[in-house]
Every structure is written in structure tokens, then in C-alpha cells.
Amino acid sequence: AGAVGLGVTSMRGSGTAKLVDKALESYNTGTKDFTAAHYDTARKAFEAALQLAPDSQELKHYIEACDSEDKVHKILEQAKKQLDDRKYAEALKLFDKVDKSSTQFEDAQQQARQARREAIKTIYTEAQTLAKNDNAAALDKVKQGLDYDPDDPELLELKNRLTNAPKPEEPTQVAD
């Protein structure tokens, strides 16, 4: 019980063991819910344990973590909605809001990489279509894609092709 930081020594009397068991039970429920990303129920369990062990810094830390992880969870939900609507830039801005200290940071990074790949694929296809009729517009689209990944080989190859494409013939002026 000491590892949990539950103040066993401050509880005296015959009911102490029952209170400690109850606090541990709430703590264990909280950690399971926290691990499963059920932050609301985890928070309630940690608060119940804190009632029984009001001096526990660890429980206070977990309650704060529940709040911050819940915010991150909501950010990730918003980002997924933006991806569903193919709003890649907006989704990536949301993924960037996820703090490194979050337990969901790695997941957010992975989803951001996936979003970047999808954005580049979409932009590449749009640029190829534009290239048939409008070199300048296609080049603008490629530059937009390179904002997501400046080293993308397909976009760089397409940029090179568009940049070195023969220009449409312009009437030449003959000097008198």
C-alpha cells in the first residue's frame, strides 16, 4: 500500500484494513480505466481513493493526468474528423498540439505521419491532373505538397519534370 502513497499510518482503528482495501480497490480500478483511456471513470475512481487517502500525491497526480489525457483524447477525436473531411493541414495542426508528456503522444505522431502521407498522395494526384493543362497550377500544387514533406521523392520528381517542361511557344519579335 505504501507504493500507492496511501497514508496507512494515519488511519488507526479496526476499520483501517477495510479502508486501505477500499482505497486500493479504487486505485486499481482507476489505473485500469486510465490504461484503457476511460479518463472520466478513472478520474472518479482516483477521487474515491483520494477521499480515503487525502494525503496521496500519486492520486492527485493521476487526477491531473486524467484531465490532461482527456483533453488530448478530444484533440485526437477532432483531428480524426478533419482527416475524414480530408482537411489535412487542420488535422496536422491538431496533432501538433499533443504534448510530449502525454501517453497518447506516440499515437498522435503515428497518425500525423499517416495524415501527411495521405495529403501528399492526394496532392500528387491533383498535381498530375493539373499538369495536363496548366503547368503553373500543377507546380503550385506540388509546392503545397512539399510543405508537408520537402523530401518526398515523387513530388520532387514531378517538380523537376514541371520546371523543365518546354514552355509554350511565344511569338518572337524580330528587330527592325
Side-chain angles (χ1 to χ4, degrees):
V4 179
L6 303 177
V8 178
T9 51
S10 65
M11 298 182 204
R12 301 228 186 279
S14 60
T16 304
K18 281 191 177 83
L19 288 174
V20 171
D21 286 348
K22 185 79 181 122
L24 277 172
E25 191 182 309
S26 292
Y27 171 81
N28 290 333
T29 301
T31 54
K32 280 183 195 138
D33 281 331
F34 187 87
T35 306
H38 302 141
Y39 303 110
D40 280 351
T41 49
R43 187 180 211 290
K44 287 178 183 121
F46 290 132
E47 284 172 343
L50 192 63
Q51 293 292 310
L52 300 167
D55 299 334
S56 171
Q57 290 307 307
E58 185 170 354
L59 288 171
K60 290 174 186 166
H61 168 76
Y62 264 114
I63 291 168
E64 287 172 19
C66 284
D67 292 342
S68 61
E69 291 299 329
D70 194 39
K71 282 186 188 122
V72 169
H73 189 70
K74 286 181 171 91
I75 288 171
L76 292 179
E77 290 299 307
Q78 281 180 290
K80 285 174 191 164
K81 282 190 184 92
Q82 296 293 350
L83 285 180
D84 290 343
D85 296 339
R86 294 179 175 260
K87 294 179 180 169
Y88 302 109
E90 289 86 345
L92 288 167
K93 281 179 196 153
L94 288 166
F95 287 129
D96 284 345
K97 285 184 178 181
V98 177
D99 192 78
K100 280 187 172 89
S101 65
S102 170
T103 60
Q104 300 166 84
F105 179 73
E106 279 307 314
D107 182 38
Q109 292 298 297
Q110 188 177 347
Q111 289 185 55
R113 283 190 293 274
Q114 179 79 30
R116 252 185 217 96
R117 280 195 297 272
E118 283 180 38
I120 289 168
K121 219 184 328 180
T122 303
I123 287 168
Y124 179 79
T125 305
E126 290 170 3
Q128 277 193 311
T129 305
L130 285 168
K132 292 172 188 160
N133 306 316
D134 187 347
N135 235 11
L139 208 49
D140 284 344
K141 191 54 91 172
V142 168
K143 286 176 184 159
Q144 190 185 342
L146 291 171
D147 285 344
Y148 290 108
D149 180 2
D151 302 320
D152 184 75
E154 286 186 320
L155 286 173
L156 289 171
E157 189 272 328
L158 184 56
K159 179 184 177 189
N160 191 27
R161 230 180 333 144
L162 292 168
T163 307
N164 296 321
K167 304 275 182 274
E169 289 299 311
E170 289 179 24
T172 49
Q173 294 190 337
V174 183
D176 295 333

